[in-house]
Amino acid sequence: MRKLRMTSGRGLIALAGCVLIAGVNATDEPGTSDADLARFLFVPVFDILDCTQQGFIEAGEIDEHLPILFNPLSRGETRILGRDAFVTSEDADEAALQEQLFETMDGNHDELVSAREFRDTLVRLLDEMDSNGDDEITMDELQFGSAAVVPAEE
């Protein structure tokens, strides 16, 4: 099993009592767009999702690695994630991103996020970050969006 590679900078998220995800970049300011949420969530775990080290991740890899991503958050007990277990940062900017991400994942607005809601949100955010439409998300697409991405070859 690969270990999570921690990165330095803003956005350190402590979830379920343990540090799981590190922030994207010391110069990044938290935002509210889906692209900001995707960066906040995926950049630190890119290497876990890209376990074959191909330089990109695909939506299918979310399903493959869902237990690694979700179970520690829900503590593996209930397969449900409550707001208090997800929004844990003492930093106001990080807590705001955690709060928005929780709201985005809570599709039925019941104040709980199921493994299905978590998975569906991850897949949707990845799809939105696929700037060139090749069904593969590179680190450049995550970090820089469409500004730094060359369209896929047909």
Side-chain angles (χ1 to χ4, degrees), residues 35-99:
D36 291 325
L37 293 176
R39 283 184 204 96
F40 188 70
L41 184 61
F42 289 116
V43 168
V45 296
F46 188 88
D47 288 343
I48 289 175
L49 294 172
D50 182 26
C51 62
T52 58
Q53 299 179 343
Q54 295 175 331
F56 60 85
I57 53 179
E58 302 170 290
E61 290 172 304
I62 296 294
D63 292 327
E64 181 180 342
H65 298 293
L66 187 61
I68 293 169
L69 297 172
F70 185 78
N71 289 352
L73 300 176
S74 70
R75 298 185 180 158
E77 300 164 3
T78 62
R79 303 281 295 166
I80 298 290
L81 179 60
R83 182 182 304 273
D84 59 336
F86 192 81
V87 182
T88 60
S89 180
E90 293 180 14
D91 178 83
D93 291 338
E94 293 165 7
L97 277 173
Q98 291 172 335
E99 181 72 34

Side-chain angles (χ1 to χ4, degrees), residues 72-147:
L73 300 176
S74 70
R75 298 185 180 158
E77 300 164 3
T78 62
R79 303 281 295 166
I80 298 290
L81 179 60
R83 182 182 304 273
D84 59 336
F86 192 81
V87 182
T88 60
S89 180
E90 293 180 14
D91 178 83
D93 291 338
E94 293 165 7
L97 277 173
Q98 291 172 335
E99 181 72 34
Q100 183 173 355
L101 191 53
F102 184 86
E103 290 291 328
T104 298
M105 287 191 257
D106 185 16
N108 62 1
H109 309 290
D110 65 353
E111 296 295 312
L112 299 170
V113 174
S114 67
R116 171 58 70 189
E117 288 173 314
F118 184 82
R119 180 237 178 245
D120 290 349
T121 301
L122 299 183
V123 170
R124 183 182 60 77
L125 289 173
L126 277 181
D127 186 52
E128 289 181 17
M129 294 303 293
D130 187 11
S131 302
N132 62 1
D134 65 354
D135 295 327
E136 300 170 349
I137 309 303
T138 65
M139 185 61 86
D140 283 345
E141 284 175 293
L142 281 175
Q143 291 180 326
F144 307 111
S146 60

